[in-house]
Amino acid sequence: MNRKKYKQLRAVVILFVFAIVGLAVVHNSYLLSISGVLTGMVFMALVRSTTKIRVDEREATVREKAAQLTYAIFAPTLGIGAFLLLLPSSGVSSVFAKGEFMYLESLGMVFAYLTLFLIAMYAISYHFLNRKYGGGGNEE
Amino acid sequence: MRNEQSSLLRNRLRVHRAMHDLTQEQLADKIGVSRQTVIAIESSKYLPSLGLAFKIAKLFKVKIEDIFSYEGGTNEN
C-alpha cells in the first residue's frame, strides 16, 4: 500500500467514525460512539502495523514545530489561567471566593495541576529523548 | 521552515531531475518522501536531512555538493 492509498483509507475511516459518532449523538448512545471510535482506532492501528508507511521527514519536522508551538502557547496559558482563578481565593478579593463562584477555585486547582503535569511530561520526555540521541554522555 | 540556513543553501535538484527526465512524483517515490517535500526542497523552503541528501545524490550518481551548495561564509562558534 502506498502513501496515497493509505491517505484515502484514512479519510474513509475518519468519515466512518464521524458518521457513527453522529448517529450515536442522534440516538443518544454512548456505547455506539465509543465502539465506533475504538473500531476506527483499532482498524488504523492494524493497517499501520501490516504496511510500512514511512513518515515523511518534512512532515515530521512540521509535527515537531507544531508540537513545540502548542506547548509554548498552551503551558503559559494554562498556568496564567490557574493563577488568575486561584488569585481571588487567596484573599485578594472575597467576592469570587464564595457562593456560585466557589467552583472557580476548583477549576484553578485543576488548571494548576494540569500545568505541572504538562511541564513534568515535557521534562521527562526531554530527558529520555536527550539521552536517546546522544546527549548527556561523557564519551570522548 | 525557511530560515537563514535555507536561504544560504542553493540546490540544483530541479536541474538534475530534468536531466534524468523524472517528474516530482517519480522522484518522491524513488527517495521515499512526498511530492510536497520535493517541491519544498526545490524551492529552498525545506532543508533535507543529511540522509535524504545522500539518497538524492546516490540516485543521480553525483556528489552531494553537485546538488547542494552552501553559499555562506564560515561560521566559527
Side-chain angles (χ1 to χ4, degrees):
Chain A
M1 183 186 291
N2 60 18
R3 181 178 295 276
K4 202 174 178 180
K5 277 188 181 171
Y6 173 75
K7 280 190 172 178
Q8 285 170 348
L9 188 68
R10 193 175 61 181
V12 170
V13 171
I14 289 170
L15 277 176
F16 168 78
V17 171
F18 263 102
I20 293 289
V21 171
L23 208 67
V25 169
V26 170
H27 291 282
N28 209 8
S29 165
Y30 288 108
L31 198 67
L32 187 63
S33 66
I34 290 168
S35 58
V37 170
L38 282 178
T39 309
M41 284 169 70
V42 169
F43 185 74
M44 287 314 293
L46 280 173
V47 171
R48 260 189 179 275
S49 64
T50 52
T51 55
K52 285 185 178 176
I53 299 295
R54 276 179 296 182
V55 176
D56 182 40
E57 65 169 51
R58 188 186 59 86
E59 204 178 305
T61 309
V62 172
R63 285 182 191 182
E64 282 169 20
K65 300 244 179 211
Q68 204 175 4
L69 194 67
T70 307
Y71 177 77
I73 293 169
F74 194 61
T77 307
L78 215 56
I80 292 167
F83 176 74
L84 292 176
L85 289 170
L86 289 173
L87 196 63
S89 63
S90 65
V92 176
S93 169
S94 58
V95 177
F96 295 107
K98 53 190 170 188
E100 59 186 290
F101 297 106
M102 277 296 281
Y103 74 94
L104 288 177
E105 190 186 340
S106 309
L107 194 63
M109 288 298 284
V110 171
F111 277 17
Y113 279 116
L114 275 177
T115 312
L116 288 175
F117 178 70
L118 197 66
I119 293 169
M121 280 301 292
Y122 182 86
I124 291 166
S125 56
Y126 180 88
H127 176 75
F128 281 106
L129 289 171
N130 187 34
R131 286 185 70 164
K132 187 183 173 186
Y133 292 107
N138 291 320
E139 284 178 39
E140 287 185 16
Chain B
M1 271 171 287
R2 189 172 201 148
N3 51 26
E4 280 179 36
Q5 288 280 306
S6 61
S7 63
L8 291 171
L9 206 79
R10 297 277 175 271
N11 76 73
R12 290 166 44 83
L13 185 61
R14 198 187 298 265
V15 176
H16 282 275
R17 186 170 58 78
M19 280 161 59
H20 285 78
D21 204 21
L22 287 172
T23 63
Q24 287 174 333
E25 186 80 54
Q26 287 167 335
L27 176 63
D29 282 343
K30 281 180 190 288
I31 57 177
V33 295
S34 65
R35 195 171 74 89
Q36 280 77 16
T37 300
V38 172
I39 294 168
I41 296 170
E42 282 187 357
S43 55
S44 296
K45 282 181 182 170
Y46 173 70
L47 290 179
S49 67
L50 196 56
L52 183 59
F54 269 113
K55 217 183 238 185
I56 294 168
K58 198 175 174 185
L59 178 74
F60 293 136
K61 295 186 178 75
V62 291
K63 290 178 182 172
I64 283 187
E65 54 264 39
D66 292 334
I67 302 175
F68 300 99
S69 57
Y70 184 68
E71 294 187 348
T74 53
N75 184 19
E76 288 181 21
N77 293 322

